[in-house]
Amino acid sequence: GESVGLHLPTLSVQEGDNSIINCAYSNSASDYFIWYKQESGKGPQFIIDIRSNMDKRQGQRVTVLLNKTVKHLSLQIAATQPGDSAVYFCAENILHKGKFYFGSGTKLNVKP
Amino acid sequence: DAGVIQSPRHEVTEMGQEVTLRCKPISGHNSLFWYRQTMMRGLELLIYFNNNVPIDDSGMPEDRFSAKMPNASFSTLKIQPSEPRDSAVYFCASTFGVGNTEAFFGQGTRLTVV
């Protein structure tokens, strides 16, 4: 469904540590789940996606895990860097509808 | 490619005035989205075009909002008359095909209605 956000949850991590950002989704009909990163003053930027028939996908320093049983998605960032500080959004995509909806976002704060 | 280009970057207008936001998608992309972002409601999808045709405008909040895509390289989002509650950052995004998960966003237009 549509995104509704009140107050952004914040995750603070030390530089070099691993980060895990979580997202709960509601639509079982979604074909893809996607993570976007939004830096201050910029538009969201695609990070990685995962098809609904998969449970894990790895990219460069990032891993996305999908648990359809509990409708939960997570983004793991290895060796977090100051440049990773941003707001991270999960999004759901239903292919035949051609559009996608964003979750409320999590702010990642990386401490040097 | 310069990416998705939006103009203006900032707009301050008085309540009741007409506001027009502009977007130039990435060349070759045939799907275009308009989103609105506020702290209270997050990123909301307003309208989605495919091949210049509006496919889904169910997110457009009221009749005061209208969007057009006269050709593949240009789209507008118009608010008439504008109200203070329309204050938000408006993003345009484009992608190729239907259901492509990687959309490219512009820098956004920060609209303030006073």
Side-chain angles (χ1 to χ4, degrees), chain A residues 3 5 36 38 49 99-100, chain B residues 35 37 40-41 43 56 101 103:
Chain A
S3 69
Y36 276 79
Q38 186 177 22
D49 65 9
K99 58 185 181 179
F100 42 97
Chain B
Y35 283 87
Q37 186 174 40
M40 286 299 294
R41 299 178 67 85
L43 271 164
D56 189 332
T101 58

Side-chain angles (χ1 to χ4, degrees), chain B residues 36-110:
Chain B
R36 177 172 68 176
Q37 186 174 40
T38 61
M39 282 302 296
M40 286 299 294
R41 299 178 67 85
L43 271 164
E44 300 174 277
L45 176 63
L46 300 178
I47 187 168
Y48 154 53
F49 291 88
N50 182 250
N51 292 325
N52 313 336
V53 176
I55 302 301
D56 189 332
D57 65 354
S58 59
M60 296 286 263
E62 305 171 30
D63 291 345
R64 298 185 297 107
F65 286 70
S66 62
K68 293 182 180 179
M69 193 163 185
N71 57 62
S73 59
F74 184 66
S75 177
T76 59
L77 178 68
K78 184 179 293 186
I79 308 172
Q80 164 65 14
S82 58
E83 296 182 4
R85 59 194 170 116
D86 301 330
S87 297
V89 180
Y90 291 81
F91 287 103
C92 174
S94 72
T95 189
F96 178 76
V98 175
N100 192 332
T101 58
E102 184 172 3
F104 294 81
F105 282 75
Q107 297 274 57
T109 295
R110 180 173 293 278

Side-chain angles (χ1 to χ4, degrees), chain A residues 34-65:
Chain A
I34 315 135
W35 283 100
Y36 276 79
K37 171 187 180 182
Q38 186 177 22
E39 296 175 64
S40 181
K42 296 184 178 180
Q45 181 181 16
F46 174 90
I47 302 174
I48 190 169
D49 65 9
I50 185 168
R51 196 177 176 102
S52 60
N53 62 356
M54 299 171 65
D55 53 23
K56 181 178 181 179
R57 189 175 185 205
Q58 288 185 293
Q60 187 176 14
R61 276 202 313 120
V62 295
T63 301
V64 57
L65 299 177

